[in-house]
Amino acid sequence: MKRGHVWKATLLLMAGWWVISALLLPAPAAARDIKVGIVDTYSGPAAVFGNDALNGFKLAVDEINKQGVLGGKIVFTTRDEQFKVDIGLNMAKELVMKENVDVLVGTINSGASMAISEAVAKKEKVPFFVWTAKSENITGKAGHRYVFSTAENTAMAGKSAAVALSQKPFKKFWIAGDDYEYGHALADAAWRNLSKIKPEAETIGKTWWKPGEPDLIPYLTAIQAAKPDCIIFATGGLSMANVLKAIKATGMKTPAWIHTATDHSVLKPLGMNAPEGVMGTIQYHYYYPDLAANKKFVKDFQAAYGNPPGFPAFNAYTTAQLIAEGFRAAGQIDKEKFIDAVEGLKVDTPVGKVEMRACDHQAVYPMFLGTTKISKEFGGAISSDIITLRGAEVMPSCEEIAQARKAK
Amino acid sequence: MDVTITFAGFFSQVLVGLSRAMILFIVSSGLSFILGVLRVPNVAHGSLYMIGAFTAHGIAVLLGEGMVGFLAAMIVAPLVVALISLIAERALFSHLYEREHLMLLLFTFSLALILGDLTKMTWGADYRSLVAPPVLQGSVSIFDTAVPRYNLFLLVVGPLVAVALYLFSSKTKIGKIARAAAVDREMVGAIGINVSWVFAFAFVLGCFLAGLGGALVAPTVSITLGMDHTVIIEAFLIVIIGGLGNIWGAMVGSLIFGVSQSLGVLLWPQFAIVFPYLAVVVILTLKPTGLLKSVW
């Protein structure tokens, strides 16, 4: 054989081998985008929280997509649940069945979050991140492999309240709040912890109003007539501003604790007329702690949306980081591997590293305890005399979570 | 639980309930007036109340949130709502009065959704708060119990609106025509009165009251999207228990609704939210057509 023929035959063999290999071997998985389905409230009074969370998520996703995740991007689609359980549930189903989302995210409504967790996430085996709803039952007794919470929950808020109130000379308490899942869960958590730390504390009465009840003055005048030492308000976003407004309108002097009373989105509309001295707890302030990462987050958020971020934006930002880092750690877009990767994962956030606790899928946040105080610099009330309670101090232990789930 | 109900607590609760009833009366009397004269179950009435509150806030902020800003807000916001309703009446409602009630109900429901979205587009989703002028802030002590000054102010304004409505409907020519139209509109038309403009006037007046209610309630609540939903349900219930189209029925219904809610909070706080609805059930069981004479 001539040298030229050998050369041609070799080339032909190589080409043949390449063609056969290409036909027989499985093609490498093409990089694709990670689809996130968001169900939250974008109409009605709670829209302010839904929009804040969405903006925080968008900001994080824009940053993440510059680098990409597994060769693709994070893309998302939103649905307005209108703060209704049935609508939220239907929309979550639609996102999973029709849109084939890889991850579900939402919502501010604790009832809707519980329903989606049980009927969609668990049933369809789709990871679901609850980013604003705060019922401890979500990752507590009703928790399971497919649900995560990047919101602080009522157990954490209740424990923080108990720590704060047990150090005050109060004995007679009145509990008042929203008559739905969140309100009752928060009141239960606060009282469960307080009565444990301070056994002499007693509840002299309870009042429940419908979520979003606009005029709370009749409720506050009636409570004040009973002369409690302190009022525990178990209210959410819908009623929060109304409670603060009623406190101011009635000139109430009775000490009060309200979870998220120190949230700026609640205090901002009241401006310099916000009531002072109201005790509040929250896991995020745009002005505290004074860290470089937080300053950058606030600056970017303000530049993009014109307002400083609230706690929903912070929660959503953390959620986006967990989704991105979770898929990167999993190495592929596989829901089960993603869940395994997210368990115990620590991600960078504006307030430092945040861990997704493996035993209950609850984000570990510190809680900031403070009281409202008017600040001319901020043009309204902010949280003052802030005391930081570490996440481990205020969260139920993994054993308690296991017991609660077993008891269920 | 060692809570005892004192006379002072009871009295202040009645006062607060009465002041809440005044807002409900102003809103529901407008709804009742439109129902009586035009036979239109205006679901969008709550949206106009919400627009009144947002507009009042905007005007008060523009003028500095003092007494001048507050008074301007209380006057101009209802007029803005009246103007919006005049446009809606001439462009839409005036062509629909002869339609069936179900059709009108669906139409006004659609309008409520549209106005809700327009409110969101105009003012955004943020909470807003209108501050009462300093003289109406804080509370006064009555029998050693704090009663907010603004609620006492509402107790003055409510009866004034009621008297003005009474004088208008019984002493002015157009008021008498509107009352006549409520009873027999064909006859009013038959004697040569331009019924179209009587209807326009009645509609605008009813909507003005919705705007006034929204402006007056603004210092006591957070101004938010969705505040229309709560009030429209309460206003319809009040109109139904008072007697459809009867303005004094709206007053009686409002008093029952406001005071039963307020006293319910005091007497049985854990189940306070059911009291006004319980009162509605009892009244409608005993008197299905409402407490006062219905014009329907």
Side-chain angles (χ1 to χ4, degrees):
Chain A
M1 239 168 135
K2 286 182 182 176
R3 273 179 77 182
H5 289 151
V6 172
W7 180 236
K8 282 178 188 170
T10 310
L11 272 178
L12 267 173
L13 274 171
M14 281 174 69
W17 174 250
W18 182 78
V19 170
I20 290 164
S21 302
L23 287 172
L24 295 180
L25 288 176
R32 72 165 175 92
D33 293 338
I34 295 161
K35 293 173 81 174
V36 177
I38 303 172
V39 182
D40 213 342
T41 299
Y42 299 112
S43 54
V48 65
F49 298 100
N51 289 333
D52 191 51
L54 186 60
N55 289 343
F57 191 73
K58 276 185 198 165
L59 191 72
V61 164
D62 287 346
E63 282 174 15
I64 291 163
N65 284 345
K66 283 176 192 166
Q67 192 186 338
V69 182
L70 303 177
K73 289 181 176 180
I74 292 179
V75 294
F76 62 89
T77 181
T78 59
R79 297 287 184 274
D80 182 7
E81 55 147 32
Q82 299 166 36
F83 206 75
K84 290 181 178 134
V85 176
D86 54 335
I87 294 176
L89 193 57
N90 287 338
M91 287 179 165
K93 279 181 188 166
E94 184 257 334
L95 284 169
V96 171
M97 308 287 187
K98 286 189 183 166
E99 298 288 335
N100 294 314
V101 296
D102 301 299
V103 179
L104 271 174
V105 168
T107 150
I108 189 171
N109 186 322
S110 289
S113 295
M114 299 273 285
I116 294 169
S117 168
E118 199 63 27
V120 184
K122 192 175 177 182
K123 197 175 167 195
E124 304 298 333
K125 300 188 188 313
V126 178
F128 173 42
F129 284 77
V130 179
W131 66 11
T132 315
K134 302 174 196 301
S135 171
E136 68 195 68
N137 295 330
I138 294 166
T139 52
K141 67 180 179 189
H144 52 81
R145 177 171 167 78
Y146 298 93
V147 69
F148 295 84
S149 172
T150 48
E152 89 293 6
N153 66 26
T154 50
M156 297 158 78
K159 183 75 178 286
S160 307
V163 170
L165 298 175
S166 64
Q167 290 163 10
K168 307 275 182 187
F170 309 142
K171 199 181 160 198
K172 292 189 293 179
F173 290 84
W174 192 287
I175 293 173
D178 290 332
D179 194 12
Y180 86 120
E181 170 71 21
Y182 170 68
H184 287 277
L186 183 58
D188 288 348
W191 191 250
R192 187 177 66 230
N193 286 292
L194 182 60
S195 53
K196 207 181 283 178
I197 301 172
K198 193 171 186 175
E200 67 272 27
E202 59 169 327
T203 316
I204 62 165
K206 288 182 181 177
T207 304
W208 299 106
W209 52 70
K210 63 176 184 287
E213 174 65 44
D215 187 0
L216 294 174
I217 289 172
Y219 293 87
L220 261 64
T221 49
I223 294 169
Q224 285 177 83
K227 300 195 186 319
D229 296 333
C230 178
I231 306 169
I232 294 172
F233 285 106
T235 58
L238 288 165
S239 309
M240 182 62 69
N242 292 337
V243 172
L244 290 173
K245 194 151 185 172
I247 287 174
K248 183 74 179 178
T250 55
M252 192 178 98
K253 298 280 183 266
T254 312
W257 170 82
I258 320 175
H259 182 52
T260 73
T262 45
D263 175 34
H264 92 97
S265 63
V266 171
L267 292 171
K268 189 182 143 199
L270 300 169
M272 301 296 275
N273 285 285
E276 289 192 290
V278 178
M279 290 174 273
T281 37
I282 200 162
Q283 83 283 23
Y284 179 73
H285 289 300
Y286 73 89
Y287 47 83
Y288 186 90
D290 195 18
L291 299 172
N294 197 21
K295 281 181 183 168
K296 184 186 179 305
F297 174 56
V298 174
K299 192 181 164 196
D300 293 347
F301 192 94
Q302 224 154 359
Y305 308 112
N307 286 312
F311 72 88
F314 165 72
N315 293 357
Y317 188 92
T318 305
T319 307
Q321 301 299 341
L322 282 163
I323 291 171
E325 291 304 324
F327 277 112
R328 282 175 187 146
Q332 56 182 288
I333 305 176
D334 179 287
K335 295 183 181 79
E336 298 299 331
K337 286 183 178 157
F338 169 74
I339 290 169
D340 292 340
V342 173
E343 288 180 340
L345 187 66
K346 286 182 182 172
V347 292
D348 289 315
T349 76
V351 298
K353 290 271 184 199
V354 167
E355 181 191 351
M356 176 54 73
R357 196 162 74 164
C359 72
D360 59 351
H361 293 188
Q362 174 63 49
V364 182
Y365 291 127
M367 295 295 284
F368 304 127
L369 180 67
T371 51
T372 57
K373 189 178 180 184
I374 296 292
S375 160
K376 283 184 182 168
E377 184 193 343
F378 285 85
I382 58 164
S383 182
S384 67
D385 305 322
I386 297 172
I387 295 167
T388 305
L389 301 168
R390 288 185 303 111
E393 285 178 70
V394 295
M395 289 173 75
S397 67
C398 286
E399 291 72 35
E400 285 172 317
I401 294 290
Q403 277 175 4
R405 289 186 185 180
K406 205 174 169 185
K408 185 202 167 196
Chain B
M1 193 169 129
D2 59 355
V3 176
T4 49
I5 296 164
T6 60
F7 171 74
F10 185 83
F11 185 71
S12 76
Q13 208 59 16
V14 169
L15 283 183
V16 169
L18 287 174
S19 68
R20 169 94 180 122
M22 291 305 105
I23 295 282
L24 291 172
F25 163 68
I26 291 168
V27 177
S28 57
S29 62
L31 183 69
S32 191
F33 196 67
I34 293 170
L35 257 173
V37 178
L38 307 172
R39 303 289 196 271
V40 174
N42 187 14
V43 180
H45 200 71
S47 309
L48 295 168
Y49 160 88
M50 178 169 70
I51 290 170
F54 272 98
T55 309
H57 173 264
I59 293 165
V61 169
L62 196 71
L63 298 177
E65 294 195 289
M67 182 54 99
V68 174
F70 174 77
L71 289 176
M74 295 304 116
I75 295 163
V76 178
L79 290 174
V80 169
V81 171
L83 183 65
I84 293 168
S85 63
L86 178 64
I87 295 165
E89 200 279 338
R90 288 291 91 189
L92 303 167
F93 282 89
S94 60
H95 308 291
L96 300 168
Y97 290 135
E98 299 306 320
R99 301 290 174 92
E100 287 177 24
H101 291 138
L102 183 62
M103 177 76 89
L104 288 168
L105 194 71
L106 288 172
F107 169 70
T108 57
F109 182 67
S110 309
L111 191 64
L113 295 176
I114 292 166
L115 289 175
D117 278 352
L118 286 176
T119 305
K120 188 178 174 184
M121 285 164 68
T122 310
W123 284 285
D126 288 348
Y127 294 116
R128 279 152 209 274
S129 175
L130 194 154
V131 182
V135 71
L136 296 176
Q137 286 178 18
S139 56
V140 291
S141 183
I142 299 177
F143 296 123
D144 200 27
T145 307
V147 178
R149 282 197 183 126
Y150 193 81
N151 287 63
L152 295 176
F153 166 71
L154 291 176
L155 282 175
V156 176
V157 174
L160 283 178
V161 172
V163 169
L165 264 178
Y166 167 74
L167 291 175
F168 165 77
S169 61
S170 60
K171 303 290 179 193
T172 65
K173 190 180 173 188
I174 191 154
K176 287 175 184 172
I177 294 170
R179 277 171 60 212
V183 178
D184 192 339
R185 46 181 158 174
E186 283 80 15
M187 182 56 76
V188 172
I191 58 172
I193 292 167
N194 187 342
V195 179
S196 173
W197 278 103
V198 172
F199 283 5
F201 182 79
F203 187 79
V204 170
L205 178 65
C207 295
F208 173 87
L209 290 169
L212 181 63
L216 284 168
V217 84
T220 67
V221 300
S222 291
I223 304 162
T224 66
L225 299 172
M227 63 189 289
D228 51 339
H229 296 173
T230 313
V231 81
I232 194 63
I233 294 167
E234 291 179 348
F236 264 112
L237 286 174
I238 286 164
V239 168
I240 290 165
I241 60 172
L244 291 177
N246 190 317
I247 289 171
W248 296 113
M251 174 59 100
V252 173
S254 301
L255 290 172
I256 290 170
F257 209 90
V259 176
S260 65
Q261 184 197 32
S262 187
L263 289 181
V265 171
L266 185 71
L267 300 173
W268 205 2
Q270 280 176 286
F271 300 98
I273 50 178
V274 303
F275 272 74
Y277 300 99
L278 200 64
V280 171
V281 170
V282 170
I283 289 166
L284 291 182
T285 307
L286 298 173
K287 210 158 184 309
T289 55
L291 289 168
L292 301 187
K293 193 183 172 190
S294 165
V295 299
W296 277 42

